[in-house]
Amino acid sequence: MTETRTSNKLFLYSTAVSDIGYVRSNNQDSAFAGERLVAMCDGMGGHAGGDTASTIAIRSLAHIERDDSSDDVQALAKMMETSVIAAHDAIVGKAKRERRLSGMGTTVTAVALAGESWVLAHIGDSRAYLLRDGKLTRMTQDHSYVQHLINTGRISPAEARNHPQRNVVMRVLGDFDIDPRPDISISKAKPADRWMICSDGLCGVLEDSTIGDMLNSVSDQEECAQELVTMALKAGSTDNVTVVIADATLALDADAFEVPHQTPLVGGAASSNLEAIADIVDEPVAAAPKLRDERSESPAKRAAALAQQPDDDEGGTDQARLAQPSSTREETGERKVPDTGEIPVVRKKDGSASADPYDPDVAHAIRQEQLEQRRQGRSRRRHIRIMVASAVILVLAAVAAAVTGAYLWSQNQYYLGNDEGQVAIYKGVPTKAFDLPLSHPVKKTGISVESLPQSWQDQLKDGITVSSMEDAEEHADLIGREARNLKKTDKGKDGKNKEGKDGSASSSADPATPSDSGSPSGHGSQDGQHTS
């Protein structure tokens, strides 16, 4: 009976692929893929915070890979909840100690196998999908604002994809006044179950149907993960993209080998220090495979590479990185004793070594180090001052060039305006810079501004812009002609009004008068022409 149970035991095989993407300057996602635990954390909080928060969360969960040795499902569920809350406390504590990390947080989506059951812990908007018998099921619900709108019937899932607040997360771990307890669910595990955990950099741009087709059609875990990340980036994802895939496999013949085993994989920000996680799980861990660089020749990839930090490449080498736990590193001599840098060790003339600060040779070495540090400090400050001064000079030169160019351009412009009660042609533009006028009159026309309609006077006050001196003169002549026509019209009106007063009873209505609402654009009114 026991032998049958052993031979039917489920084992978990998993992999992870995490990529920085085209837009971000660093990878704030972290992933863990083991044989008992898979997890994905999407950090947030700016350049200095998101990667730290997601790394803390992965390290807080990683011990489950080692401690989940029993098949007690309830104990595992409690362990996962406690680990998530511990991650929250650690993130909050670090943010309080280091103000630059204030506001950092992370999502957590993790799946662990206990006997014949799955335990799922989830908080945030990362997602977990389960593929079973060819059918894909989303096992988590986003703790986001748009999901709240969907649940309340205010928007549809299709509208949520392009909603302006689609990235607003309502529940996460971190430096926020939010309940950090994750959603915990337990479900029956079956052979051939396939889990896929991803960040919103993937599920935010790919439809569930597309994800399901890929999980169904590509059986190789790493190949499937590579394809999903590549598809998300090609679909226009502007975030980090991380995928963890885990398959439940039945050991048909447990006597044929000791136990199925895989080296846990760590991806994203958490892979920057593999030794820390190797110490937690007390076994070797390796960096997750990178995304195959099929984008190396694309303009988008080259632009992203320029913006990204050199140390964000999780290892900086194409070779897989493997880290041993501290016990193994001590045996092989790989664990280095940290150098505090406070007191130098001096090799004396007699061959002996001394670190006694009262030893004259050691005291001299200390003074030399202090002098060197001060020299380097002065050099750094001098370089900073030079860089700041150069930047200021460049900015001032750019501003001066822009001002000079704008002034030269303005002096090739013309407009008509009011100069001491007369219509005048100005060179420049009708405005001021730093309370200095950018124009001056070049020709007076002799046309009295007061003789013009009020609407024309208002336009002249603001300035009537023209393209050249010739256009300005033509426009001035036009205004002069219109002004004379209006004057004749006014005289004709006065004469007819006088006849009416002298007894012309037949004049029961005044003739039409020209309107003063015309424009100094040069076209007289029809009424004015009829009267004259």
Side-chain angles (χ1 to χ4, degrees):
M1 185 71 176
T2 305
E3 183 178 348
T4 302
R5 290 184 60 188
T6 303
S7 62
N8 291 333
K9 185 176 181 180
L10 289 175
F11 295 94
L12 194 64
Y13 293 94
S14 60
T15 191
V17 174
S18 182
D19 190 72
I20 193 172
Y22 291 141
V23 177
R24 304 286 187 178
S25 61
N26 68 328
N27 195 345
Q28 299 188 19
D29 292 353
S30 291
F32 182 91
E35 59 184 12
R36 294 186 181 90
L37 171 75
V38 289
M40 209 295 303
C41 303
D42 183 355
M44 63 198 70
H47 178 82
D51 51 351
T52 302
S54 66
T55 299
I56 290 173
I58 288 295
R59 291 180 183 179
S60 182
L61 289 163
H63 74 97
I64 297 173
E65 177 74 7
R66 178 195 65 196
D67 296 338
D68 178 27
S69 56
S70 68
D71 292 337
D72 189 336
V73 178
Q74 295 301 327
L76 176 59
K78 185 64 177 176
M79 185 188 301
M80 292 184 74
E81 180 180 17
T82 303
S83 298
V84 171
I85 295 175
H88 169 77
D89 294 340
I91 292 170
V92 172
K94 191 170 183 65
K96 288 181 178 179
R97 292 191 300 272
E98 301 181 40
R99 295 186 62 183
R100 66 185 181 88
L101 301 176
S102 178
M104 69 175 176
T106 184
T107 69
V108 173
T109 303
V111 178
L113 176 63
E116 298 180 354
S117 298
W118 298 114
V119 180
L120 170 63
H122 169 70
I123 185 169
D125 63 349
S126 301
R127 290 182 183 175
Y129 293 86
L130 175 62
L131 182 70
R132 176 178 288 174
D133 299 328
K135 180 182 178 182
L136 185 71
T137 303
R138 188 192 302 177
M139 302 297 290
T140 56
Q141 186 173 82
D142 296 347
H143 297 147
S144 62
Y145 178 64
V146 292
Q147 186 63 50
H148 169 71
L149 297 179
I150 293 172
N151 294 343
T152 55
R154 296 167 63 181
I155 62 173
S156 66
E159 292 172 326
R161 188 170 292 275
N162 296 314
H163 195 278
Q165 275 83 46
R166 61 187 178 275
N167 294 323
V168 177
V169 186
M170 300 180 70
R171 287 179 58 198
V172 288
L173 300 187
D175 189 22
F176 314 103
D177 188 17
I178 301 175
D179 183 4
R181 289 174 296 178
D183 295 343
I184 301 291
S185 61
I186 300 173
S187 58
K188 182 72 173 177
K190 291 185 178 181
D193 280 353
R194 168 168 278 194
W195 284 91
M196 195 276 283
I197 306 175
C198 66
S199 62
D200 63 341
L202 183 135
C203 57
V205 296
L206 297 184
E207 298 288 349
D208 287 2
S209 57
T210 303
I211 296 172
D213 291 343
M214 184 59 61
L215 292 173
N216 263 311
S217 60
V218 183
S219 59
D220 183 85
Q221 288 180 337
E222 183 178 341
E223 183 65 26
C224 185
Q226 293 276 350
E227 290 290 340
L228 284 169
V229 174
T230 301
M231 288 172 64
L233 294 174
K234 288 182 177 179
S237 178
T238 58
D239 203 349
N240 309 139
V241 182
T242 300
V243 173
V244 181
I245 296 179
D247 293 331
T249 303
L250 192 63
L252 298 178
D253 185 6
D255 296 330
F257 45 81
E258 186 176 349
V259 286
H261 180 72
Q262 74 162 67
T263 299
L265 302 176
V266 183
S271 67
S272 62
N273 187 352
L274 294 176
E275 286 77 8
I277 297 181
D279 290 344
I280 294 171
V281 300
D282 197 24
E283 64 174 300
V285 299
K290 299 178 186 177
L291 181 66
R292 287 194 293 269
D293 201 1
E294 298 172 353
R295 313 158 292 166
S296 59
E297 297 303 320
S298 69
K301 175 61 178 177
R302 291 196 296 270
L306 291 174
Q308 293 162 5
Q309 292 185 345
D311 60 349
D312 285 333
D313 196 20
E314 291 113 23
T317 176
D318 291 335
Q319 298 180 351
R321 293 185 297 127
L322 183 70
Q324 300 290 342
S326 59
S327 56
T328 304
R329 297 200 304 274
E330 287 177 349
E331 292 175 359
T332 58
E334 296 177 8
R335 189 177 186 183
K336 298 178 180 179
V337 178
D339 182 8
T340 63
E342 295 176 356
I343 301 177
V345 177
V346 175
R347 181 70 60 181
K348 300 173 69 66
K349 293 181 179 180
D350 59 3
S352 63
S354 174
D356 183 0
Y358 296 102
D359 187 304
D361 293 335
V362 175
H364 176 72
I366 293 174
R367 285 194 299 272
Q368 291 300 316
E369 284 193 359
Q370 291 172 345
L371 290 173
E372 179 64 20
Q373 290 173 359
R374 285 197 290 269
R375 187 192 66 78
Q376 292 178 357
R378 288 193 300 270
S379 178
R380 281 194 298 269
R381 289 191 293 272
R382 184 170 61 254
H383 288 158
I384 292 172
R385 286 194 295 269
I386 292 173
M387 291 174 63
V388 171
S390 301
V392 170
I393 291 172
L394 288 174
V395 170
L396 292 176
V399 171
V403 171
T404 302
Y407 179 76
L408 293 175
W409 170 85
S410 71
Q411 296 311 298
N412 289 321
Q413 309 302 309
Y414 294 88
Y415 71 93
L416 277 73
N418 186 344
D419 181 32
E420 297 179 352
Q422 291 189 32
V423 177
I425 299 174
Y426 282 78
K427 185 176 185 180
V429 291
T431 187
K432 293 183 178 181
F434 306 107
D435 206 30
L436 297 175
L438 296 179
S439 62
H440 60 278
V442 294
K443 182 178 181 181
K444 291 187 177 183
T445 63
I447 303 170
S448 173
V449 175
E450 291 184 354
S451 66
L452 301 177
Q454 185 60 45
S455 61
W456 293 19
Q457 295 182 32
D458 293 340
Q459 292 187 49
L460 288 168
K461 182 179 179 181
D462 295 333
I464 302 172
T465 58
V466 292
S467 58
S468 65
M469 183 66 180
E470 291 76 11
D471 288 345
E473 291 174 340
E474 289 181 6
H475 213 86
D477 292 342
L478 210 58
I479 292 175
R481 289 197 299 270
E482 291 291 342
R484 289 192 292 273
N485 288 339
L486 287 173
K487 189 174 182 181
K488 290 178 182 180
T489 300
D490 290 341
K491 286 182 178 180
K493 178 180 175 182
D494 291 342
K496 294 200 175 188
N497 286 340
K498 185 175 181 182
E499 290 176 4
K501 290 180 181 179
D502 291 341
S504 179
S506 61
S507 182
S508 59
D510 290 336
T513 60
S515 171
D516 70 348
S517 62
S519 171
S521 59
H523 300 288
S525 66
Q526 293 179 354
D527 290 342
Q529 293 172 359
H530 173 76
T531 303
S532 60

